[in-house]
Every structure is written in structure tokens, then in C-alpha cells.
Amino acid sequence: MSAPASDHGHVEPTSFTFTPENLELAKRIIAKYPAGKQASACMPLLDVAQRQHGGWLPRVAMDAVADLLGMPRIRVYEVATFYTMYNKNPVGRHHIQVCTTTPCWLRGSDEIVHACKNKLGIGVGETTADGQFTLGEVECSGACVNAPVVQIGDDYYEDVAPEHIDGLIEALKRGETPKPGSQIGRRSSEPVGGPTTLKDFTTAQADD
Amino acid sequence: MPKLTIDGIEIEVEPGTSILQACEQLGIEIPRFCYHERLSVPANCRMCLVEMERAPKPVASCAMPCGDGMVVRTNSETVLKARKGVMEFLLINHPLDCPICDQGGECDLQDQAMAYGFDRGRYGENKRAVEDKYMGPVIKTIMTRCIHCTRCIRFINEVAGVPDVGAVYRGEHMEITTFVEKAIGSELSGNLADVCPVGALTHKPYAFTARPWELRKTETIDVLDAVGSNIRVDARGAEVMRVLPRVNDDINEEWLNDKSRYSYDGLKRQRLDRPYIRQNGKLVPASWAEAFAAIAAKMKGVPGNRIAAIAGDLIDVEAQFALKELLTRLGSANLDCRQDGARFDTSARAGYLFNSGIAGIEKADVILLVGTNPRWEGTLVNARIRKRYLAGGVTIAAIGEQRDLTYPHSVIGSGPETLQQLIDGSHPFAETLRAAKNPLMIVGMGAFQRPDGLAVQAAARQVGEMYGMVRDDWNGFNVLHTAAARVGGIEAGFVPGEGGRDLQGILEGAATGEIDVVYLLGADEIDTAKLGNAFVVYQGHHGDAGAHRADVILPGAAYTEKNAVYVNTEGRPQLARLAVFPPGEAREDWKIVRALSEALGATLSFDTQTQLRQRLMAANPIFAAVGQMTPAAWAPFGAQGPVDAAPFVTPITNFYMTDPISRASVTMANCTEALVGPAQERTGTHG
């Protein structure tokens, strides 16, 4: 989970600078906090840096954030290593994160992981040779009602069954973005098969 | 004032006191790992749990403030059970390697496991193992032993002010590390091993050398800077095994800088253990009698004004006093204990002392540093300034070089002209000083080690007087010395007498042949090339610069090898005590001077140290108040005069090597290489 980043033999870049747009964004984020409390902007800035740097955070990027916020570098390093959503190792273009915590596991997440492994030919924590896909297991994604859940990039794919995996990955390979949300056509977190109570109260009415 | 009951005893405490502190006031011992009285309170080890009435579960006493009417029990069944539970969890991942652990015998975890530990483990899983980290040349790490109390992180952030250590990852994977695998850039890093309650951080130079119960402990004082930190020297046989700080809230609290702590290996190298006489250009071993005879032969008939003496940085008061008496008998007034060439007026005590006291820094609200880098010249003075900064509400400014002092400060000027501007009120900082309640100034040797030192001293005095630094209830005029011998030497009168030459005069005299005999009392930091053809007697404990130039060498004792008085920069006399005997034929310094006086036919009138000290106290009563500061009366000092525009330069270029002992130390060489070398290359001041 938050285990020390094992050495994947990756090469750390030697420098990192925010792009002008991201620097502008960073300044807007910093401005949200009172003067002298810039350190509060540490986490959103790390996110900006990670997005800029292809989905992972090299050490120089953490340093850049520390210097921008006037924080000791070790403080930023502590934050970045504490949270699992900051990737300390390079990831592929599509980061597939399968939730395997109890509710998803009860709903068959093991099979989802298995299907991903088969489809991509890699193990958990590994990246395909072409650098397109990284497979990861994560703890609770917070969408238990629609378990099992797979997060790809910023999108949640819910009610996933092993047979959906092939289609999802093929679509990603073609450069398409599959439709996020429930894969069985369920609306939001409604009961499977439609509402069981308040049937007269249609969603059309709710929208009014 | 909240009143509460602890174990049936009623106690009234200051508001804000924690239950743990209240228990300590009652003499009730509460086990703890993360709590340290000089650091912030994180309450993460959970060892100090106590039972409190109307609380649903045991509370962490270190973080629970006392409230009125609380009823606390520290010895109930519940408390014992809770602590045993915590201990069992702590021991899950702690290795059972006490027999090979350097902390063994003085380990908090070991001690407390005796009281709260279970006699067998119930944990059947694999224990975790953590890679060891590199933390620099003085701290050894065995991170598997770490129990994550975070004392080291808090110490380095709060006291040392060098945020290099942190905790990365989380939960079971949490690790303490430096960023990233670099040496800790603090002069106080040795204290990390002291605050570590287990054997995760230990002293690298001490590794596997001794066990605490086989060491002979001697409470003494440190002399490698002028702060006069209180230390304990642990020795085994004839060898100093380690140096640890002692608590003295007026001086070093409970910290010690790395030079004072780790340069003890220098006490075993390059030692002078027998007298030498130079014959045909080579130093030849000799007996004491031969050495004295050689000096006597050379000095026979030499008039007093052609004899001079210079005292070094590590010399005790007795030796300087004895040598001064001897020179007076020989008719010489050419003596100076300021071997660094500092020029300042010694006629008024207030003019060369740290008048507010080191603890007085905590009362100041504006601090002005003049020509000093306290981080290197008095590390624990700097730690005190940082402590003051952390308390808030203080403005710190410096005149001199731009340095990282571990607290924010503004550099308002570089040289004496800034002092002039403060005197005529034209400098913007004058406003801040005027508004200050307790302004404080620290003048370093960088301000005095220059030809216009006396004028700078006078200017500093004027600034002090103008801005209310000197009042009946407050004296914020401070001089920070760099050498432990200095204030003692001045108080003992080891300064040029009537018509006598100072350091500059002695060196010039030696070069031109007006001085025939120069007596170097441990003086190694002078330019020995300037001694010309003079006959040089060197008395000291290390074969350093002075010994290389000497014609006769008299082996003396280092500070761990004699009972002696030293006076720190505050003017506080303190006693150094003998921990081990001097090596070989080396002797205590005052005894050498006393014996030599007989050989020279000018026998000094004391035979024992007690007699010598009585003479000393008669000459200057401040020596009678051991451990006390004798307040100095304010009187004019310095000399008005033109000042040079040259900026103040800090005299210390390498913190880790300032004296013969630290120059002989391998540990200090490693520190220099790891910490000073690269830093100098970075800033471009190298060489």
C-alpha cells in the first residue's frame, strides 16, 4: 500500500519546472490560503506536478513544490510518501486501479484483477512494455454501492464485471475514452433493476 | 490554579501543566518514550497512559492538561494493563538485540520493558526490518530498532532548526530518514542520539567501544568553545570513551555541540607525552630536568623586557595566573592571552563579558548580532537565540556576513559604519531598537579582530547606551568569545602590563630581535613564522603549530586531565575535573610553571593548587563564586577613534577544527569533509 517504493530501476529526472500555465494555476491555488499558510497548498500542487509529469512524481518535482512554498524539502517528501495517490514510480499512460477492499472483493474484485492481468499480461504494480498501462490494486475507492470499482485515470468505472475489462482496455488502446460510471446501465446508485420504492416519483419529476 | 488528586494526593499546579508534569512534581514516575520536556508534545507513543475518573478510557498524561477536580490514578490495574498492552505492541517489531546494542544498559525501552514487558512474545508473524539510513559522520542508525517516537524529528526541527529529518511512508511502513540520505547539516546532531529513547540512533564514534556500566563518569566542563557547556566525561582506564552533556539551564540546557562531544578522539592522537629539546634543528626527547636546565641556561641574564608569553585557547586560569606571576617576577609585562589578535579594552569587565547571561537571551525582544556567526562561535548561544525566536515576538538583525543561523534575521549592514549610523540615528533599524523593551547586542570576535577593534568596541558601547541596552535591571551588551581560556585569562590578568607588549608587539619584537624568549602556553593559532629567531618554549598537550616551532617542549595536560578553573564568556568560573591522568610524563600546567620557576631562580610562592587558588581569589574575587555570574559594573571602555570601513569577517572558517584537540580528531576530519567541505565549495568561499 504505502510501502516504500521498491526500486523499479527507473531513472529520476534531474530537473523539473512548472509550465507557465501550471505555475499560474499553482499561484491561484496558493492564493486560496492566508499569507504565511502557503504550506496548505502542498497537496494540490503535488497533484498539479504529478499531472504535468505524466502521472508520477519524481523527487525533483517534490523539491520544486517545496521551493515554491518555502517548505523544507523533507516535509513535502513526507506528504508525498504518505499518500498512495502520489505515484513515486513512473506509471503508464492509463493507470488502472482496481479496488480490492472488502465490499469490492465480496462483489468479485479478484476476478477483475485476474481479467486485467490476463488481458494486459502484467502483474499488479507493473507496467506494460509499451508504457500504455499500469495495473494497481488500491484500498477503498469510496464507491462501495457500485462495487466492484475500477479507476482509470480520473474516471470511475462501476459495476464492472470481468467481461467488461476486455472492452474497456481495447477502447483505451484505440485512444477512446469509454463511458465512465456504471457498466450495466445503472443510473447513479439506484438499486439494480430500477427503483423499488417511490416508483411514481420519476426522475423526470426530480429534474423539474 | 487547577487542583487535582493524583493517587490520592491533592496537588495544585500552574494552569497548563500536564498530568505527567504534575506527577513528576509529586515524584510519581510515568513511563514515556515520545515525551521530552524540551520538545513539543505529540502524544504518539501512548506509554504514559493513566486512568482518569469520568474518562471512558485511559488518557495520555503527557498531553492532558490538568483540570480542576480531576481524579487520576497512575498505579491501578487498568493503567498497568494499558501500559503492558502498549509495551507489547512496541516490542512487536523491535529486535531482541540488546546484547549487541550500544544503547544497552541505558535504554528507556529496555528499562521500561523490565517493568511493563511480557516475559514472552505472542506475535507469531514476521517482524519488519528497515534499511539503515545515512545521517552523517556522527550518527549511526539501526532503523529496525526505531519505535517512531519522533523525538529526533522534533529535536532537529525545533531546537536545531535544520529540518533535515522526517518520517516517510505511513503506518507499518513508516520510516525515519533524512532528505534524502544526506548528512544532517546541524552542529547539534549528536543530541539526536541522546534524545533517541532506543538504540536506533547511536553515536558512530562510540559504536561497540564500551558499555555504560564499565565507564567512570566525571562531571566537568567543556572548553572547546567559550560557552562552557557542562559535560560528563566517561572514561575507561586511561581512555576517554565519550563525552555527554549535563543539564545546566543557565548555559547549555541539556544539549552539546558536535565538536565538544566528538573531538575526544583527538585527545589520544598527536599527544606530547614527554619533554623535548631542539638540538641541531631536531626535537630530541629529554627529561624534565634537562628541559628546565635548557630553558634556564637560555634565559639566564635575559632582561625581563626581552621575555614574552602568549596563552592559547584551551588554557585554564591557574596556568595563566601562575605564568603571569612568573613573568612578573622575571620583570616582564609582555603577555597576552588574546592569541587571535582581538583588540578590545579589558579595563572594564562589562566590556568583554556576555553580560545578560546566555539564559538572558530569552528575555530580549530585539537582538542585534555584530560581527558574529553564533552558530559556529557559540552553537548553544545560537540554539538559545533560536529558542527565543520560537517563543515569538522578537526581531533579530545582524551586522556582518550573510549566514544561515537557523532562524530568520535581517542583515542590516556589513561593517562598523552601520554602528555609526545607529549612533547618529540615520539607520532605519534605529527605530526598532528605540521601541525595544529589552534590546540585546552580541558582539563577536569578528568585530574585534581588526586594527580598529577598540574603536568598534567603543561604538558598540555607544549603541548600547543610546538604545537602553544598559539599565539597572538589564544589561544587554554581550561579547561572545570563541575561546574557553579568554575570559579567565583576562580575569587572571594575563594581558599586557604597564608598558608591556600585546600580541602584535610581541610578534614584532620577536621578528626584529627585541624579544629573545617567547613562552607559548598552548598558543597554536598564532603565525609561528613571525617568531623570528626567538627562543620558543612551548607548553601544551598537542604536537600542533606551536610545538613544531618550539625549541623546548613542556608536555601539559588537556582539559580532561586536570582539575582547573575555566571562565566562560558570561564570566562564570566553572571547575573542570580530572577524568583521566595526563599521558606519559605530561603534568598539570600550573605545576609545570611552578617547577620551572624554581629552575629559573624565581620560585613562585605556592606549592599546592589550594594555595594557588587562594592567591587567585585574593587577586580577583570573581573566582570565588564558582558557577555564578558576578555582575559587571558598567564603565566606559573602548577608545573613540576612526573605524575602518572593512566588513566584519567571522573568525571561524571551519567549525569542526578550531583547536589542537579537534584538529587531531578523526571524527572532526570526517565532519569537515562531509559538512564543511561541500558547503564551502557551494558558496564559493572555499580556500
Side-chain angles (χ1 to χ4, degrees):
Chain A
M1 193 189 131
S2 73
S6 52
D7 188 10
H8 288 223
H10 72 269
V11 181
E12 287 270 330
T14 52
S15 69
F16 176 91
T17 37
F18 279 110
T19 59
E21 306 84 71
N22 279 345
L23 196 61
E24 198 53 43
L25 176 61
K27 282 186 181 146
R28 281 211 305 281
I29 294 168
I30 295 168
K32 289 179 187 169
Y33 302 98
K37 306 281 180 195
Q38 302 92 329
S40 303
C42 176
M43 291 183 61
L45 257 60
L46 283 173
D47 183 53
V48 172
Q50 173 160 302
R51 284 168 193 280
Q52 181 184 321
H53 197 267
W56 72 287
L57 265 180
R59 209 165 276 161
V60 281
M62 302 177 201
D63 291 352
V65 171
D67 296 348
L68 192 61
L69 298 173
M71 291 167 74
R73 293 180 168 188
I74 181 79
R75 294 283 92 79
V76 176
Y77 190 55
E78 283 176 334
V79 171
T81 52
F82 186 89
Y83 293 101
T84 52
M85 288 164 82
Y86 298 120
N87 300 314
K88 272 72 69 181
N89 287 308
V91 292
R93 205 156 78 83
H94 304 291
H95 192 193
I96 300 175
Q97 302 177 76
V98 185
C99 175
T100 52
T101 307
T102 318
C104 283
W105 174 73
L106 285 169
R107 300 278 295 151
S109 65
D110 279 356
E111 282 79 54
I112 308 282
V113 173
H114 192 65
C116 290
K117 282 183 184 170
N118 276 350
K119 175 70 189 162
L120 296 169
I122 54 172
V124 170
E126 293 175 2
T127 305
T128 51
D130 58 0
Q132 286 295 302
F133 294 94
T134 298
L135 179 61
E137 268 184 5
V138 294
E139 300 306 324
C140 188
S141 299
C144 313
V145 181
N146 295 19
V149 180
V150 175
Q151 184 186 356
I152 304 175
D154 285 340
D155 294 323
Y156 271 23
Y157 295 87
E158 299 156 351
D159 301 323
V160 182
E163 52 271 24
H164 293 139
I165 295 298
D166 193 70
L168 285 173
I169 290 175
E170 282 304 325
L172 290 168
K173 277 188 180 166
R174 289 193 300 272
E176 296 164 13
T177 305
K179 186 174 176 296
S182 175
Q183 299 299 302
I184 55 171
R186 170 150 64 135
R187 183 188 166 90
S188 175
S189 301
E190 275 175 358
V192 179
T196 53
T197 56
L198 299 172
K199 289 178 183 169
D200 300 336
F201 185 78
T202 62
T203 42
Q205 282 173 307
D207 290 340
D208 290 341
Chain B
M1 298 257 284
K3 204 185 257 182
L4 68 163
T5 313
I6 300 173
D7 290 349
I9 312 166
E10 273 216 348
I11 181 176
E12 201 173 340
V13 293
E14 292 286 322
T17 309
S18 65
I19 294 177
L20 190 149
Q21 286 166 327
C23 289
E24 277 185 343
Q25 288 173 23
L26 286 172
I28 299 169
E29 203 174 308
I30 305 283
R32 85 287 299 265
F33 294 111
C34 72
Y35 175 81
H36 190 283
E37 57 181 358
R38 292 179 210 275
L39 303 174
S40 60
V41 180
N44 57 12
C45 76
R46 315 311 287 181
M47 195 63 204
C48 64
L49 294 173
V50 295
E51 195 182 358
M52 194 171 81
E53 254 180 32
R54 292 198 301 278
K57 50 188 180 176
V59 297
S61 61
C62 65
M64 175 64 76
C66 291
D68 212 29
M70 277 181 175
V71 179
V72 174
R73 270 189 301 276
T74 68
N75 51 8
S76 67
E77 221 17 69
T78 318
V79 170
L80 194 65
K81 194 163 168 248
R83 290 180 186 164
K84 279 185 168 172
V86 170
M87 176 58 78
E88 195 172 358
F89 271 113
L90 286 174
L91 292 178
I92 278 181
N93 278 321
H94 192 82
L96 201 60
D97 61 355
C98 305
I100 55 143
C101 175
D102 266 317
Q103 193 86 352
E106 50 185 5
C107 174
D108 290 359
L109 188 62
Q110 202 178 27
D111 293 350
Q112 290 174 33
M114 296 304 287
Y116 301 102
F118 198 43
D119 62 355
R120 71 201 83 107
R122 294 191 292 179
Y123 185 74
E125 318 295 318
N126 286 333
K127 290 190 173 209
R128 81 174 199 149
V130 182
E131 256 178 60
D132 294 342
K133 306 291 186 292
Y134 173 72
M135 288 203 182
V138 295
I139 295 294
K140 183 185 170 192
T141 65
I142 302 99
M143 297 315 288
T144 305
R145 295 179 187 150
C146 178
I147 58 167
H148 304 147
C149 69
T150 69
R151 275 189 192 177
C152 51
I153 303 180
R154 283 174 285 139
F155 173 83
I156 210 81
N157 278 324
E158 294 164 18
V159 178
V162 180
D164 279 351
V165 182
V168 297
Y169 308 112
R170 66 168 157 177
E172 207 202 350
H173 301 291
M174 178 173 159
E175 291 180 11
I176 305 288
T177 187
T178 50
F179 189 76
V180 171
E181 295 284 307
K182 76 177 188 106
I184 297 166
S186 170
E187 293 76 20
L188 291 166
S189 59
N191 297 294
L192 289 175
D194 281 356
V195 297
C196 183
V198 296
L201 306 181
T202 53
H203 306 285
K204 215 176 245 180
Y206 175 68
F208 305 134
T209 57
R211 283 305 203 178
W213 55 84
E214 59 185 6
L215 296 173
R216 201 171 57 245
K217 288 127 184 136
T218 310
E219 301 204 332
T220 178
I221 56 147
D222 169 60
V223 305
L224 299 185
D225 60 22
V227 173
S229 303
N230 288 215
I231 56 169
R232 195 184 85 193
V233 172
D234 286 5
R236 187 178 56 192
E239 206 179 345
V240 174
M241 301 308 291
R242 64 172 174 180
V243 172
L244 294 175
R246 272 190 298 143
V247 177
N248 187 331
D249 282 329
D250 291 330
I251 302 170
N252 56 320
E253 299 188 272
E254 60 176 276
W255 317 123
L256 192 59
N257 71 66
D258 289 353
K259 179 170 56 179
S260 304
R261 187 193 290 266
Y262 294 116
S263 53
Y264 61 85
D265 62 333
L267 292 167
K268 298 165 204 161
R269 309 173 147 265
Q270 297 272 351
R271 287 305 298 270
L272 300 171
D273 57 357
R274 58 197 307 179
Y276 287 87
I277 301 173
R278 191 176 292 278
Q279 280 169 356
N280 304 325
K282 275 186 125 171
L283 285 166
V284 184
S287 71
W288 277 105
E290 288 162 0
F292 284 160
I295 299 171
K298 194 78 192 176
M299 285 176 75
K300 200 172 179 188
V302 176
N305 62 2
R306 298 181 73 86
I307 303 171
I310 303 167
D313 287 351
L314 307 177
I315 304 301
D316 53 298
V317 171
E318 284 96 333
Q320 295 186 75
F321 183 72
L323 186 59
K324 184 213 159 197
E325 295 278 285
L326 175 61
L327 257 77
T328 309
R329 281 185 183 232
L330 296 173
S332 168
N334 305 326
L335 30 95
D336 206 334
C337 63
R338 292 162 292 180
Q339 62 153 346
D340 53 1
R343 288 157 195 257
F344 52 88
D345 189 354
T346 56
S347 60
R349 285 187 78 224
Y352 59 85
L353 292 186
F354 205 97
N355 291 300
S356 73
I358 293 167
I361 292 171
E362 291 181 39
K363 295 194 200 102
D365 55 354
V366 172
I367 297 173
L368 177 62
L369 307 171
V370 181
T372 183
N373 171 12
R375 187 169 171 184
W376 278 8
E377 291 167 31
T379 311
L380 290 157
V381 170
N382 201 53
R384 203 60 89 115
I385 300 174
R386 176 165 169 84
K387 187 179 180 193
R388 177 68 194 85
Y389 155 72
L390 287 179
V394 68
T395 313
I396 305 168
I399 303 176
E401 295 163 285
Q402 180 77 52
R403 294 266 180 175
D404 176 10
L405 296 179
T406 70
Y407 40 81
H409 63 284
S410 50
V411 176
I412 60 164
S414 63
E417 77 281 353
T418 314
L419 288 174
Q420 305 278 26
Q421 287 164 0
L422 285 172
I423 291 167
D424 61 33
S426 64
H427 196 284
F429 193 71
E431 215 43 57
T432 316
L433 275 176
R434 217 168 277 136
K437 268 203 201 80
N438 288 328
L440 182 138
M441 173 161 53
I442 299 176
V443 188
M445 285 301 114
F448 294 156
Q449 284 179 17
R450 37 193 286 144
D452 59 353
L454 285 169
V456 173
Q457 194 187 15
R461 171 173 60 86
Q462 264 184 292
V463 171
E465 286 168 354
M466 279 182 69
Y467 293 101
M469 290 184 194
V470 186
R471 302 189 305 259
D472 286 345
D473 60 333
W474 173 251
N475 191 339
F477 179 87
N478 295 322
V479 176
L480 178 57
H481 289 270
T482 51
R486 202 72 81 236
V487 176
I490 298 168
E491 302 282 14
F494 206 95
V495 286
E498 199 73 38
R501 294 166 183 265
D502 63 358
L503 177 80
Q504 194 69 23
I506 293 169
L507 292 179
E508 275 166 16
T512 56
E514 287 163 27
I515 298 273
D516 291 332
V517 178
V518 179
Y519 199 109
L520 299 180
L521 185 59
D524 289 295
E525 282 79 21
I526 57 168
D527 186 0
T528 49
K530 288 189 178 161
L531 290 171
N533 293 324
F535 179 75
V536 177
V537 179
Y538 179 81
Q539 176 183 337
H541 42 76
H542 272 76
D544 209 86
H548 283 296
R549 170 61 186 81
D551 294 296
V552 176
I553 293 175
L554 305 175
Y559 70 105
T560 51
E561 297 154 5
K562 57 189 171 192
N563 291 308
V565 177
Y566 285 90
V567 184
N568 80 347
T569 190
E570 303 170 296
R572 187 194 301 270
Q574 299 189 96
L575 294 179
R577 290 191 180 81
L578 181 140
V580 293
F581 288 101
E585 291 179 43
R587 291 291 180 272
E588 291 183 30
D589 290 278
W590 75 269
K591 284 184 182 164
I592 298 172
V593 177
R594 168 65 181 74
L596 178 64
S597 73
E598 212 166 313
L600 295 177
T603 311
L604 293 170
S605 60
F606 42 80
D607 298 324
T608 63
Q609 193 163 28
T610 312
Q611 287 173 357
L612 168 56
R613 284 190 180 161
Q614 276 163 356
R615 293 283 307 274
L616 201 54
M617 287 178 226
N620 191 341
I622 73 128
F623 292 115
V626 170
Q628 310 287 318
M629 276 177 72
T630 309
W634 192 254
F637 52 78
Q640 302 282 6
V643 289
D644 196 346
F648 296 133
V649 181
T650 311
I652 297 177
T653 49
N654 175 5
F655 168 75
Y656 296 100
M657 288 194 173
T658 53
D659 51 80
I661 297 175
S662 53
R663 275 195 293 270
S665 158
V666 175
T667 314
M668 291 298 104
N670 291 340
C671 286
T672 303
E673 200 177 323
L675 298 163
V676 181
Q680 283 183 342
E681 276 156 33
R682 256 206 312 280
T683 57
T685 56
H686 190 64

